[in-house]
Amino acid sequence: RVGYVSPDFNAHSVSYFAEVIVRDRDAAATHVTCYYASRKEDSMTKRLRGLADQWIDISAKTAAEVAAIVRENQTDILVDLAGHTALNRLDVFALAPAPVQVAWMGYPNTSGLTTIDYRFTDARADPPDTPQLFTETLVRLPNSFLCYTPPQDAPPV
């Protein structure tokens, strides 16, 4: 059971990277819940909602309420897709509602939270010899930590 937390499940760059992960997963082996931290609705929101097993609007909920929902859902891995950007829900991650918590994509730097266990990155974004300190354990994915899906109305290349 994987939960993705984001205010950007709409026509935002994060969605064009997250879509393929939700769409092309092994649906028989992975249950996906999208915890949406915004009230903005557009065609991308509708598309992502249709790809997720569960969709929960957390935009008006307190951190404690969201943490309780995450626990009730028995989410195994909770993934933050916003970091220190607008409408983030790092307050939820500070409460550590899931056994494994991961930062990925929306903010390619440390969250500063010791309650986030890992951050997905790659050797270009975070070279192995970087002097920067991170609170998360870096998981450097091969090639790239991003996988872009172009908009459906993009012109041919």
Side-chain angles (χ1 to χ4, degrees), residues 21-31:
I21 302 303
V22 177
R23 185 189 65 219
D24 293 347
R25 67 193 158 90
D26 181 349
T30 309
H31 180 278

Side-chain angles (χ1 to χ4, degrees), residues 95-119:
L95 299 175
V100 176
Q101 300 195 136
V102 178
W104 180 45
M105 192 182 336
Y107 185 77
N109 206 331
T110 187
S111 67
L113 294 176
T114 57
T115 54
I116 296 184
D117 305 295
Y118 304 99
R119 185 165 65 82

Side-chain angles (χ1 to χ4, degrees), residues 2-6 8-10 14-35 44-55 77 79 81 104-105 147-149:
V2 179
Y4 295 100
V5 180
S6 180
D8 301 320
F9 292 139
N10 50 57
V14 166
S15 287
Y16 294 100
F17 291 100
E19 180 180 2
V20 68
I21 302 303
V22 177
R23 185 189 65 219
D24 293 347
R25 67 193 158 90
D26 181 349
T30 309
H31 180 278
V32 166
T33 300
C34 289
Y35 297 95
M44 176 59 94
T45 309
K46 291 176 186 154
R47 189 160 67 244
L48 289 171
R49 184 181 294 125
L51 296 173
D53 296 303
Q54 188 174 19
W55 185 275
I77 303 169
V79 183
L81 300 179
W104 180 45
M105 192 182 336
C147 187
Y148 183 72
T149 303

Side-chain angles (χ1 to χ4, degrees), residues 86-98:
L87 303 178
N88 75 73
R89 294 310 306 261
L90 290 175
D91 55 345
V92 173
F93 286 84
L95 299 175

Side-chain angles (χ1 to χ4, degrees), residues 28-90:
T30 309
H31 180 278
V32 166
T33 300
C34 289
Y35 297 95
Y36 190 36
S38 174
R39 293 188 185 248
K40 182 177 180 180
E41 295 274 333
D42 58 27
S43 61
M44 176 59 94
T45 309
K46 291 176 186 154
R47 189 160 67 244
L48 289 171
R49 184 181 294 125
L51 296 173
D53 296 303
Q54 188 174 19
W55 185 275
I56 300 174
D57 179 353
I58 61 168
S59 62
K61 297 188 183 316
T62 67
E65 289 170 328
V66 177
I69 292 167
V70 170
R71 288 185 191 103
E72 183 179 298
N73 286 346
Q74 298 179 335
T75 301
D76 299 302
I77 303 169
L78 192 62
V79 183
D80 171 52
L81 300 179
H84 291 282
T85 63
L87 303 178
N88 75 73
R89 294 310 306 261
L90 290 175

